[in-house]
Amino acid sequence: ETRYVRADYFGDYSKMEPAYRALATYIKDAGKTELGGPSELYITSPMVEKDTAKWETHILFPVK
């Protein structure tokens, strides 16, 4: 069983870094350890939704 820490990010892909930093801080503060690199799950397609503020992405880090 793998557990994940997830952030739901809304906005332009090029501005996701603060969400990554927040997740890294949470993981550290919660006493968890990353088990590999993050992955991104794109919920909203930029081909369908042109408003970048409505683009939803889930950022996931596997942890133990």
Side-chain angles (χ1 to χ4, degrees):
E1 177 179 302
T2 302
R3 295 184 180 264
Y4 290 86
V5 173
R6 180 179 104 185
D8 297 345
Y9 171 79
F10 289 85
D12 191 306
Y13 301 143
S14 67
K15 298 177 181 175
M16 288 197 295
E17 205 227 318
Y20 275 88
R21 282 195 311 254
L23 275 173
T25 298
Y26 173 80
I27 290 167
K28 181 181 175 188
D29 291 349
K32 299 190 180 301
T33 304
E34 292 179 30
L35 290 176
S39 57
E40 297 174 355
L41 179 61
Y42 304 104
I43 305 303
T44 308
S45 169
M47 302 303 269
V48 175
E49 178 56 64
K50 300 303 179 194
D51 183 353
T52 59
K54 295 179 180 177
W55 292 358
E56 181 179 2
T57 306
H58 296 178
I59 304 168
L60 302 133
F61 275 89
V63 296
K64 70 171 183 173

